[in-house]
Amino acid sequence: MSTFKASCLSLIWIASAIASSSAQQLGKTITEADLQQWDISIAPDGVGLPQGQGTALIGKELWENNCQACHGENGKGGPAGNLVGGIGTLKDKNHEKTVGSFWPYATTLFDYIRRAMPYYAPGSLTDDEVYALTAYVLQQNGIIDENTELNAKTLMDVKMPNRDGFVQYWPVQPGTK
Amino acid sequence: MVSSPTSLPSSEEHAANGGLVSRRWLLRSGLVAGAMSASGSLVHAEQLRVPEWSSTPGLKMTGYGQPSPFENSVVRPALDLFPEGIGDGSGVSFTPLEKLAGTITPNGLFFERHHSGIPEIDPAQHQFAIHGNVKRSLLFTVENLLRYPMVSRTCFIECAGNSLFNSMDEPQQRTAGEIHGLIGNAEWTGVPLRLLLDEAGINPDASWVLAEGADAAKMSRSIPLAKIVDDEAIIALYQNGERLRPEQGYPMRLVLPGWQGSMNVKWLRRVKVLNAPVHTKDETSKYTLLQKDGISKQFTYEMGVKSVITSPSPGMEPSNPGLHLISGVAWSGAGRIKRVEISADGGKSWADAIVDQNPASKALTRFQLAWDWKSEPAILLSRATDETGAVQPTRSKWYEPYNSNQLFHQNSIQAWSVSSSGGVSNVYI
């Protein structure tokens, strides 16, 4: 037997030996309440969206103070990239991918701002502020108007322009079934 | 019969145009090194002297060994993706592929991609949670995990944006590593994620997990549960035998052999078991492939079959005519490398390279071939085929569905142009 096959088999053997001996059981049980500060991911079903609300009108000032230096006035022309514009350009060679033109779900925007922005102080915004900034970016893209209040319910009503612009290559490559 | 290692290849050993020598010749010559010395063997050596270092005792032992100072040019070239003060820590550094041999990437030279810098994590305070659609949510410390049985697996991790410079309209004059070096290959040792999920008890309707890092970006990616129950997910604590380096996810990272680098979440703090993907920023806005028709491919996890010649390559240039060794690396996210072919005439004729007969699955594989260079211009290509029969595409074929600025999953054939004086440059053919 080649050494490769031998080492492969021994790996499988180790793996199955491990599988049958989850004797360790060293994990400490923890409640969802304990996990609250970490459990920040928001999927398109909106489960886990926090209480709170905000409008683009409120978001405008937050934007100017927390985001504009890197993402530009009105979400355009900043050194960290545009979040606004480009809707309808995806078929062009010089297309512009932004939150407005490219992102399929508004939940991703809420999730990402809350998780990672502003770049040097992620986690510093309140949930109300994240709703307001989400509203501002969507409003600048013409997706909602400046008085639309975003909250856990209304965020789910937002339909992004490129919602149907993706084909999923998992579990199988389309056309190869 | 074994031919003398110093005998030059005869015309029967011709394998393809441009001086490619049949792999049989190199194999028969036994020692590759012996065969390649043929070109220099007629030069008379000087009388040997005893160097200084043979005349006095050397240095003392050190706590952690460092490379020779003569190797201090072998470093990862770094590239910040944003101007200073805008996104410090979001960037890449490249494995200097052309300066390495064999298949294992040394830990200090393994490529980096961070979305918000390298966190300085105290392992005594780091915690890892499994929760969501499970029977019991669990919290682990690093110390806990070190007490579990471990597996070791050698595989590559490749950034989905690797080779992005070849998506520019004009070929960029950069080294092989600066173009294709967002890849590294290592032996990863750690706890199979499935083992810990079993301890938590996955509910039968679960089908996805979210993996999340403890860095400031809280890098997060959705991963199909199937990849994990196939025993293809490891929570790695060790890389090439030592604990992970901070830039590789210390104290723990996910390793998903063959899949997009950014899914191999570093500084892993949380796995949430789910029934559907989360559609995080880095699986919608980024790491998706926009096609000419305006539709984007999403969840293209597996890295395609690929190869690159690392010598000759820019900066690794043949100085004089004669026998040279063409050497490079090949890999596929679908499994083992089965074949690598080399062309010296821009793809008109091809010769089989020598490839490791028993390459590891989803791991870098070295290939080589002798090349009798006559100071004539040449276009060197390598083309890999994996065990599923997938063949590395040409650049133009690869771009058919895309505009030329689509940069993810670029696995097309690299062309190096060799001039009559031996200069090597990046060209598109």
Side-chain angles (χ1 to χ4, degrees):
Chain A
M1 192 185 335
S2 72
T3 44
F4 171 71
K5 274 195 191 136
S7 65
C8 225
L9 282 178
S10 68
L11 203 99
I12 292 166
W13 179 82
I14 291 170
S16 53
I18 287 173
S20 54
S21 75
S22 23
Q24 262 63 17
Q25 304 275 1
L26 298 170
K28 204 169 72 186
T29 53
I30 178 172
T31 65
E32 290 297 320
D34 296 329
L35 277 155
Q36 207 193 331
Q37 287 196 44
W38 282 20
D39 189 10
I40 54 174
S41 47
I42 307 293
D45 63 9
V47 172
L49 274 171
Q51 290 183 344
Q53 64 281 312
T55 61
L57 219 50
I58 301 167
K60 185 173 168 49
E61 201 185 321
L62 290 165
W63 176 269
E64 287 162 3
N65 294 335
N66 297 292
C67 319
Q68 186 158 306
C70 296
H71 293 292
E73 210 177 318
N74 307 321
K76 283 185 175 184
N82 293 352
L83 306 184
V84 172
I87 296 177
T89 66
L90 295 182
K91 288 185 187 161
D92 307 344
K93 164 138 206 230
N94 293 318
H95 55 262
E96 206 192 339
K97 290 192 213 167
T98 71
V99 173
S101 68
F102 195 59
W103 291 30
Y105 299 105
T107 44
T108 307
L109 183 57
F110 183 94
D111 171 301
Y112 185 68
I113 296 174
R114 184 167 67 156
R115 162 187 307 276
M117 290 293 137
Y119 189 83
Y120 291 102
S124 62
L125 301 167
T126 65
D127 290 338
D128 282 346
E129 289 172 331
V130 177
Y131 276 117
L133 284 162
T134 303
Y136 179 77
V137 173
L138 295 176
Q139 182 259 331
Q140 288 297 311
N141 278 295
I143 298 166
I144 61 172
D145 65 35
E146 61 179 15
N147 294 312
T148 304
E149 187 188 277
L150 285 190
N151 56 40
K153 198 179 157 293
T154 54
L155 186 69
M156 302 306 297
D157 300 333
V158 176
K159 180 155 193 237
M160 300 297 277
N162 197 37
R163 167 66 189 85
D164 300 321
F166 292 83
V167 266
Q168 299 187 350
Y169 273 58
W170 175 270
V172 280
Q173 192 170 318
T176 59
K177 274 182 218 176
Chain B
M1 215 211 84
V2 177
S3 68
S4 144
T6 47
S7 70
L8 286 162
S10 69
S11 59
E12 284 119 72
E13 308 290 358
H14 166 93
N17 297 342
L20 294 178
V21 181
S22 159
R23 61 186 170 152
R24 284 187 311 267
W25 178 75
L26 204 54
L27 288 171
R28 243 198 340 259
S29 309
L31 280 171
V32 168
M36 303 315 294
S37 69
S39 50
S41 58
L42 300 178
V43 182
H44 187 76
E46 288 171 29
Q47 191 183 14
L48 298 178
R49 288 177 306 112
V50 177
E52 225 176 293
W53 49 80
S54 305
S55 319
T56 54
L59 302 173
K60 285 194 179 154
M61 281 67 73
T62 52
Y64 195 96
Q66 298 298 318
S68 158
F70 294 97
E71 297 299 320
N72 65 8
S73 69
V74 184
V75 293
R76 296 179 286 214
L79 185 73
D80 294 321
L81 297 181
F82 297 96
E84 216 183 305
I86 300 301
D88 298 335
S90 179
V92 292
S93 73
F94 299 85
T95 299
L97 292 175
E98 71 282 0
K99 291 175 176 159
L100 303 177
T103 58
I104 294 292
T105 310
N107 290 341
L109 296 172
F110 202 98
F111 87 97
E112 300 166 272
R113 169 72 174 111
H114 318 302
H115 288 260
S116 195
I118 305 161
E120 296 173 278
I121 297 180
D122 172 358
Q125 290 179 50
H126 183 77
Q127 287 173 307
F128 166 62
I130 293 181
H131 71 123
N133 197 0
V134 291
K135 299 206 167 57
R136 342 164 240 293
S137 300
L138 296 176
L139 193 65
F140 298 89
T141 62
V142 177
E143 202 203 343
N144 289 158
L145 291 182
L146 289 168
R147 289 165 59 191
Y148 279 80
M150 297 199 189
V151 291
S152 294
R153 167 131 189 206
T154 299
C155 65
F156 71 81
I157 294 179
E158 181 183 21
C159 176
N162 195 19
S163 316
L164 69 112
F165 283 103
N166 279 353
S167 69
M168 313 264 160
D169 285 336
E170 293 301 318
Q172 305 295 298
Q173 297 315 320
R174 302 173 66 90
T175 63
E178 286 167 341
I179 299 173
H180 304 288
L182 297 183
I183 185 166
N185 193 58
E187 183 201 62
W188 307 96
T189 299
V191 184
L193 175 54
R194 186 177 58 84
L195 198 62
L196 304 179
L197 288 178
D198 284 349
E199 186 174 327
I202 313 168
N203 289 324
D205 60 332
S207 50
W208 288 80
V209 307
L210 179 83
E212 183 179 86
D215 56 328
K218 283 156 232 103
M219 185 68 187
S220 57
R221 292 294 312 258
S222 308
I223 297 155
L225 198 56
K227 179 78 171 173
I228 296 161
V229 296
D230 278 356
D231 263 324
E232 283 257 293
I234 301 170
I235 298 184
L237 297 141
Y238 295 86
Q239 178 178 355
N240 294 328
E242 64 179 359
R243 294 289 289 278
L244 296 179
R245 298 281 169 97
E247 69 268 33
Q248 298 306 332
Y250 183 84
M252 61 176 79
R253 82 174 301 167
L254 198 57
V255 173
L256 299 173
W259 281 17
Q260 302 186 333
S262 62
M263 304 178 80
N264 295 246
V265 174
K266 297 186 281 191
W267 315 293
L268 188 68
R269 77 167 188 187
R270 182 167 79 106
V271 163
K272 185 176 189 182
V273 179
L274 298 163
N275 301 1
V278 173
H279 294 271
T280 67
K281 174 263 217 181
D282 287 298
E283 57 205 27
T284 53
S285 173
K286 301 293 182 310
Y287 304 112
T288 49
L289 288 67
L290 174 61
Q291 304 171 104
K292 281 179 188 157
D293 62 4
I295 300 294
S296 301
K297 298 180 183 172
Q298 192 184 18
F299 305 157
T300 54
Y301 299 139
E302 200 172 276
M303 297 309 294
V305 59
K306 190 162 169 181
S307 67
V308 57
I309 294 171
T310 51
S311 182
S313 68
M316 302 293 291
E317 288 147 347
S319 47
N320 42 37
L323 269 184
H324 292 272
L325 191 69
I326 295 176
S327 176
V329 280
W331 63 93
S332 167
R336 294 180 179 79
I337 287 297
K338 218 178 81 190
R339 181 181 195 193
V340 180
E341 298 154 285
I342 293 177
S343 173
D345 57 8
K348 291 189 202 77
S349 64
W350 295 88
D352 270 305
I354 299 169
V355 183
D356 184 352
Q357 284 304 291
N358 291 311
S361 181
K362 306 173 189 179
L364 286 200
T365 301
R366 180 65 58 178
F367 64 85
Q368 49 194 338
L369 196 64
W371 180 41
D372 192 10
W373 182 55
K374 305 232 157 52
S375 287
E376 282 160 5
I379 305 253
L380 293 177
L381 316 177
S382 64
R383 178 171 70 190
T385 304
D386 70 21
E387 63 180 335
T388 72
V391 182
Q392 189 180 5
T394 61
R395 190 174 178 279
S396 52
K397 173 89 184 135
W398 188 83
Y399 270 108
E400 266 168 23
Y402 309 114
N403 283 310
S404 57
N405 46 11
Q406 199 302 104
L407 56 83
F408 295 114
H409 287 261
Q410 228 283 24
N411 69 327
S412 67
I413 291 172
Q414 170 67 55
W416 299 129
S417 164
V418 184
S419 73
S420 54
S421 60
V424 181
S425 55
N426 182 16
V427 289
Y428 295 160
I429 53 160

